Amino acid sequence: MNWSWLITLICPLMMLFMMFGLGGKHGHGHGSRKQASPDYQEIQKELNDLKIQNEQMRRDIQSLTS
């Protein structure tokens, strides 16, 4: 008996079962929420704060190594 046709159909049948048989809940709800984009000035301020912290850490490391 040749079972190759059954093996060929298993993948599409399982895909249909997963999409429709389980309620089709995959991917719903992601597009409905709008993510608030951060303000440009807020990002710039955070970047400047990180630059200041980075420079302070460089000075601290320099003082510890010398």
Side-chain angles (χ1 to χ4, degrees):
M1 185 175 231
N2 189 358
W3 292 90
S4 63
W5 60 271
L6 182 62
I7 294 172
T8 305
L9 290 177
I10 286 175
C11 184
L13 289 175
M14 288 302 292
M15 183 69 91
L16 288 174
F17 174 74
M18 294 291 283
M19 287 173 56
F20 299 109
L22 297 177
K25 295 181 181 175
H26 178 72
H28 291 281
H30 295 293
S32 63
R33 284 185 286 169
K34 286 189 177 181
Q35 189 175 20
S37 61
D39 190 36
Y40 176 76
Q41 284 88 12
E42 182 181 327
I43 293 173
Q44 191 66 40
K45 180 186 179 306
E46 186 174 340
L47 179 62
N48 289 335
D49 291 344
L50 289 172
K51 285 180 179 179
I52 292 169
Q53 289 177 6
N54 189 16
E55 188 58 39
Q56 181 62 42
M57 289 190 320
R58 285 179 196 257
R59 281 186 249 137
D60 291 345
I61 291 171
Q62 185 66 30
S63 68
L64 290 173
T65 58
S66 57

